[in-house]
Amino acid sequence: MEKIDLVVIGGGPAGMAAALKAKERGVKSVTILERAGTLGGILEQCIHAGFGLHYFKEELTGPEYAARFAALIENSDIEVKLDTMVLGISWDNTVTAANKEDGILEIKAKAIVLAMGCRERPRGALSIAGTRPTGVMTAGQAQEYINLEGYMVGKTVVILGSGDIGLIMARRMTLEGAKVKMVCELMPYSGGLTRNIVQCLDDFDIPLRFNCTVVEVHGKERLSGVTVQYVDENFTPIAGTEEYIECDTLLLSVGLIPENELSKQAGIELDKVTGGPVVNEIRQTSREGIFACGNVLQVHDLVDYVTEESNIAADGAADFILGRQAVNPEYIEPLCGEGVRYIVPQRVNINSGKDIKLYFRASNVFDNASIVMSVDDKEVYKKRKVKVTPGEMENVTLSADIGKQIKKDSKLTLSIRA
Amino acid sequence: MVKKMTCVACPIGCQLEVVLDDENTVVSVAGNSCKRGITYAESEVTNPTRSLTSTVKLIGGIRPVVSVKSALPFPKNMMLDAMKIINETEIKAPVSIGDKAIKNILDTGIDIIVTSRDKGKQQ
């Protein structure tokens, strides 16, 4: 069995950044295991621009963002195994994987970085009534067909869900000559970035209907139309608001689910809200030596933040491998106060002596809100924000100074006040 | 005249209120949180541009198409015309990031360039 320092599971933006950072930190042997035939992950099909504004200070397309990291990896001694499926992680951090060349592979690693990304919530999870015709697919599936296979999926389109992929696909389908009739969003607000609503819908006069959902799918072999209906505040369809919309394609952009089958099987504690592992400030999971970053940890809206998070996880893994772990760590769990849906990291070492960024999402839309951090109900930090929405991840810094005020039994709470 | 728009210079998405005079020149911009908001408002009023991305047919590639983008921000009102030309374009593998797929599209002075690599099918 091969013995190495670090195994990175997944060769998308998270895995590539983590592997490179670990190398930079002096970790000797690093291997990336990737399920697909190329590095880059989902970025390969995200041909639109808008990536890298924070990290590279320029606007790149998905494949270009991925290529910058892939080129650095090609010029390093990081080993990359493509078309390789990881099957399991044992109690002693041995990773079992399979591919056509090596058959079954076993690699014992000092540390592991989980970077498996996420997948789309499928139709089956929505319980929409009606027939089962062709023409109903997730937005990401349509994106792959069109952008990688050159196969146009339909002519008249309804999109359910206003997540970023749905918005991006509304524009993409329009540019390719399809008629996007509307985007329906169950919630009273969009889960997508403002920029995408402006440039993908407003630019092409595509209507966005809030509090509206698809209740029935029609068509025998090919989709012939959908019934849309408005919902009340309990998401119950309102009688009399049904409307039949003729279309041959229904795209679903109704949420992303971190892909944690491996983590579960490895006995790693998961957060019920994020769907990803529970981690501390260095992104170490409940299992020593196993770290997580990117969409497998929490679904991100910007790849730039994925890169940032992967650098943190790789730093943690490098410290662990090089024997520079925290001395006498004492952990507290930051609490989600009013308006906060979740916080990553879920555990924070109060003796770290470092500034720690807490990433979080709001549970609702807030205008002119204050983001407030308090220790034992005493306000220690406050910042004003013009707008806070669930669709855009926020962060606040738990500074080393504030950290000093926190004791083992302190209650650290983050809340959003209107 | 007051025009409301959402700034998309960065992900914050500031809600701008742009005051215009009779000649459609920007008098003032409010609601922006950085200088880029003013630049954005001015260009949205005078010459709105977008990053145009799509794919072109690829002959002999591992994949049948390859992704492309406008090398510079592209005039918004010419995007659909540009798409017609992009959809008629075929290029040959191998291709690398930055290769010109279409030179000076629609006489805009803007090239359409390749944004991903395809080494081509092994013979």
Side-chain angles (χ1 to χ4, degrees):
Chain A
M1 179 175 23
E2 199 184 351
K3 284 186 186 176
I4 67 166
D5 288 330
L6 179 66
V7 166
V8 177
I9 305 176
M16 290 196 293
L20 284 165
K21 182 72 181 177
K23 261 276 121 179
E24 187 192 307
R25 283 288 317 277
V27 173
K28 287 210 175 72
S29 44
V30 179
T31 296
I32 298 176
L33 304 176
E34 165 58 45
R35 181 170 61 183
T38 53
L39 288 173
I42 205 67
L43 287 176
E44 293 302 300
Q45 68 184 60
C46 299
I47 65 165
H48 54 281
F51 300 88
L53 286 165
H54 293 257
Y55 192 74
F56 289 116
K57 309 284 178 222
E58 61 179 301
E59 192 176 42
L60 302 171
T61 63
E64 289 173 310
Y65 190 96
R68 298 229 170 160
F69 289 89
L72 292 172
I73 286 173
E74 273 175 33
N75 291 322
S76 74
D77 61 355
I78 295 168
E79 189 177 359
V80 179
K81 286 193 175 291
L82 300 172
D83 296 309
T84 302
M85 182 75 188
V86 174
L87 304 171
I89 301 167
S90 76
W91 59 272
D92 66 344
N93 291 356
T94 300
V95 176
T96 306
N99 66 28
K100 277 186 186 168
E101 232 167 76
D102 306 281
I104 296 277
L105 266 169
E106 284 202 313
I107 308 172
K108 186 162 164 28
K110 285 183 188 152
I112 295 167
V113 171
L114 306 174
M116 293 91 80
C118 62
R119 61 165 170 260
E120 295 178 282
R121 179 178 293 165
R123 177 187 177 177
L126 295 180
S127 53
I128 303 174
T131 51
R132 293 288 181 272
T134 183
V136 182
M137 69 195 85
T138 62
Q141 228 175 327
Q143 189 178 43
E144 183 181 348
Y145 278 134
I146 298 173
N147 294 347
L148 297 181
E149 307 301 330
Y151 175 76
M152 187 56 183
V153 296
K155 292 191 177 78
T156 47
V157 189
V158 169
I159 298 175
L160 175 59
S162 60
D164 285 312
I165 315 171
L167 299 175
I168 292 289
M169 286 314 293
R171 173 176 61 189
R172 186 78 186 107
M173 299 284 291
T174 307
L175 285 176
E176 290 294 349
K179 172 75 187 159
V180 179
K181 293 198 163 172
M182 69 172 67
V183 176
C184 295
E185 170 59 61
L186 182 72
M187 304 300 284
Y189 52 82
S190 168
L193 299 173
T194 314
R195 158 178 85 186
N196 287 336
I197 294 174
V198 173
Q199 297 193 342
C200 301
L201 301 187
D202 298 354
D203 272 6
F204 303 99
D205 297 318
I206 298 169
L208 172 56
R209 277 196 195 178
F210 291 119
N211 303 305
C212 185
T213 190
V214 172
V215 291
E216 195 172 349
V217 162
H218 309 269
K220 211 171 170 190
E221 282 180 6
R222 179 78 195 195
L223 181 70
S224 58
V226 295
T227 304
V228 300
Q229 195 169 7
Y230 285 100
V231 297
D232 63 17
E233 63 274 16
N234 302 314
F235 308 122
T236 311
I238 303 167
T241 64
E242 301 91 334
E243 190 184 339
Y244 178 79
I245 313 281
E246 208 178 280
C247 61
D248 63 15
T249 306
L250 172 66
L251 299 187
L252 306 172
S253 176
V254 289
L256 299 167
I257 306 160
E259 212 164 333
N260 275 294
E261 280 65 28
L262 268 180
S263 323
K264 270 185 223 163
Q265 173 256 30
I268 289 167
E269 183 187 350
L270 298 185
D271 182 321
K272 282 199 184 78
V273 182
T274 59
V278 170
V279 293
N280 63 14
E281 76 284 356
I282 57 169
R283 305 299 184 270
Q284 182 165 234
T285 67
S286 61
R287 274 198 49 186
E288 196 174 53
I290 302 184
F291 299 77
C293 55
N295 283 348
V296 79
L297 178 57
Q298 58 174 332
V299 175
H300 294 255
D301 18 80
L302 298 178
V303 73
D304 304 71
Y305 290 154
V306 168
T307 304
E308 194 174 292
E309 187 171 82
S310 308
N311 286 337
I312 299 170
D315 259 328
D319 283 338
F320 181 83
I321 292 162
L322 304 169
R324 293 184 199 141
Q325 292 107 298
V327 219
N328 303 324
E330 277 188 295
Y331 292 100
I332 61 153
E333 299 189 357
L335 303 169
C336 297
E338 195 189 331
V340 175
R341 202 161 75 88
Y342 73 74
I343 303 169
V344 171
Q346 291 87 344
R347 286 181 190 137
V348 171
N349 173 14
I350 53 171
N351 299 334
S352 81
K354 286 178 186 156
D355 288 355
I356 296 166
K357 264 197 201 176
L358 302 177
Y359 295 84
F360 65 96
R361 271 184 203 276
S363 54
N364 212 327
V365 178
F366 296 88
D367 288 312
N368 293 313
S370 301
I371 294 165
V372 178
M373 199 191 294
S374 53
V375 177
D376 297 327
D377 301 324
K378 196 184 120 221
E379 201 176 291
V380 291
Y381 177 86
K382 188 172 170 177
K383 101 171 160 186
R384 303 280 302 166
K385 282 284 286 197
V386 183
K387 198 174 186 108
V388 184
T389 76
E392 296 187 22
M393 190 191 288
E394 300 285 341
N395 67 74
V396 287
T397 303
L398 170 61
S399 69
D401 280 345
I402 299 174
K404 281 179 202 150
Q405 303 172 35
I406 302 173
K407 307 270 174 316
K408 181 93 176 83
D409 54 357
S410 296
K411 261 183 16 196
L412 174 70
T413 313
L414 202 59
S415 41
I416 303 171
R417 295 196 192 130
Chain B
M1 191 181 71
V2 179
K3 211 172 171 180
K4 287 191 180 183
M5 60 179 77
T6 309
C7 178
V8 298
C10 85
I12 292 172
C14 294
Q15 298 296 320
L16 306 181
E17 283 201 9
V18 188
V19 180
L20 303 169
D21 66 12
D22 297 340
E23 272 132 33
N24 229 19
T25 9
V26 177
V27 179
S28 66
V29 180
N32 55 312
S33 46
C34 75
K35 282 186 290 186
R36 285 192 291 169
I38 299 169
T39 319
Y40 176 78
E42 280 171 354
S43 71
E44 268 308 275
V45 171
T46 52
N47 176 30
T49 57
R50 297 288 182 266
S51 170
L52 178 63
T53 59
S54 187
T55 54
V56 296
K57 273 187 198 152
L58 184 66
I59 314 287
I62 296 168
R63 287 181 175 143
V65 288
V66 66
S67 57
V68 293
K69 71 170 181 184
S70 56
L72 291 166
F74 199 80
K76 186 181 147 190
N77 58 3
M78 293 171 84
M79 286 200 299
L80 290 174
D81 289 331
M83 279 303 296
K84 286 182 196 144
I85 298 171
I86 290 170
N87 280 341
E88 286 162 6
T89 303
E90 294 184 352
I91 60 173
K92 280 192 187 127
V95 286
S96 308
I97 292 178
D99 285 0
K100 284 180 188 166
I102 305 165
K103 278 183 197 159
N104 185 22
I105 190 167
L106 296 169
D107 282 325
T108 51
I110 299 169
D111 296 331
I112 299 297
I113 60 171
V114 171
T115 58
S116 49
R117 184 172 66 167
D118 194 312
K119 287 185 262 184
K121 245 183 244 165
Q122 299 292 324
Q123 294 301 315

